[in-house]
Amino acid sequence: KQEVTQIPAALSVPEGENLVLNCSFTDSAIYNLQWFRQDPGKGLTSLLLIQSSQREQTSGRLNASLDKSSGRSTLYIAASQPGDSATYLCAVETSGSRLTFGEGTQLTVNP
Amino acid sequence: GAVVSQHPSWVICKSGTSVKIECRSLDFQATTMFWYRQFPKQSLMLMATSNEGSKATYEQGVEKDKFLINHASLTLSTLTVTSAHPEDSSFYICSAPPETRGGYEQYFGPGTRLTVT
């Protein structure tokens, strides 16, 4: 059974700091890995998707990497802003388009 | 990008009543849709896979007689919470996989917040 773990569970940083969120998964047989953002009481916003054959994806200040063999992914956020405050979820897609989510990292960026 | 809608966005109901939540794909056909549940401060947990024209597949521990899923058309899946209890209060989110495989993110609905009093 696929299990996804995210570290840290919560993170508080001053504005402008670069930060890394970690995600690990137990079964390397994945189709892709996605990072999502969730604001309180809201749905999911897709940030980045990395296919199993890819090593990284970038979008603006966000960079996500994937090491499939070791079952790890990182989300790097450069020059963090208060508007980045949210919960960040990673999810891996396995057979049948099923997504398994991690518990999330709650990020707070202080002005 | 493709859009998935959910209705209602929030609902309050009394214990013992039933509530229906709709999930629609607005500009694409979805033969499969997924239903997730998210309790406060927790992550999303897959409840069931909704298959158009056939029975839904439920995850272990999810009561199929309590959470009725109907996927009668290629654009609509419904989740009915029957005889709701306060412990069913949660955030319910549906998603639909892309029409073609290969690197495209799934499309998520905005979620439905259910409160059972």
Side-chain angles (χ1 to χ4, degrees):
Chain A
K1 177 185 175 183
Q2 179 74 267
E3 294 183 359
V4 180
T5 303
Q6 290 187 245
I7 296 174
L11 183 62
S12 182
V13 300
E15 180 177 5
E17 191 162 301
N18 302 324
L19 55 98
V20 175
L21 308 182
N22 298 289
C23 173
S24 62
F25 48 96
T26 55
D27 186 349
S28 61
I30 64 170
Y31 285 105
N32 58 55
L33 182 144
Q34 287 184 243
W35 283 94
F36 296 89
R37 168 185 173 139
Q38 186 176 32
D39 292 289
K42 303 293 185 181
L44 303 181
T45 300
S46 179
L47 298 174
L48 289 165
L49 180 145
I50 309 176
Q51 297 181 54
S52 62
S53 59
Q54 297 175 327
R55 297 284 294 182
E56 67 176 340
Q57 283 286 336
T58 298
S59 176
R61 293 182 294 109
L62 305 180
N63 175 278
S65 68
L66 173 64
D67 185 341
K68 184 180 170 184
S69 60
S70 68
R72 296 180 181 179
S73 175
T74 61
L75 178 66
Y76 175 82
I77 303 177
S80 58
Q81 303 171 357
D84 295 330
S85 298
T87 296
Y88 290 80
L89 298 166
C90 78
V92 295
E93 181 178 337
T94 54
S95 62
S97 300
R98 298 159 57 89
L99 290 181
T100 302
F101 284 83
E103 294 287 330
T105 293
Q106 185 174 353
L107 173 64
T108 303
V109 182
N110 302 301
Chain B
V3 177
V4 173
S5 70
Q6 282 186 240
H7 178 81
S9 58
W10 60 270
V11 57
I12 301 173
C13 71
K14 293 185 177 181
S15 185
T17 62
S18 295
V19 175
K20 179 184 287 187
I21 302 170
E22 293 184 348
C23 177
R24 291 182 185 273
S25 57
L26 299 184
D27 55 0
F28 67 100
Q29 293 183 334
T31 56
T32 302
M33 289 184 176
F34 297 96
W35 287 96
Y36 295 85
R37 178 168 55 183
Q38 185 180 35
F39 292 109
K41 302 294 185 182
Q42 296 186 26
S43 191
L44 280 75
M45 296 297 294
L46 180 64
M47 297 176 63
T49 303
S50 173
N51 305 297
E52 189 271 334
S54 64
K55 292 183 178 180
T57 305
Y58 291 82
E59 296 299 303
Q60 189 174 7
V62 177
E63 301 175 57
K64 62 180 182 180
D65 294 329
K66 181 172 182 60
F67 299 98
L68 302 180
I69 292 174
N70 186 295
H71 196 151
S73 77
L74 289 171
T75 59
L76 174 65
S77 174
T78 60
L79 169 67
T80 301
V81 183
T82 63
S83 186
H85 290 284
E87 56 264 33
D88 297 325
S89 298
S90 186
F91 194 54
Y92 293 86
I93 305 177
C94 68
S95 75
E99 295 172 317
T100 58
R101 290 211 57 81
Y104 299 98
E105 65 265 27
Q106 288 198 22
Y107 309 123
F108 279 82
T112 297
R113 183 160 303 282
L114 169 64
T115 301
V116 184
T117 60

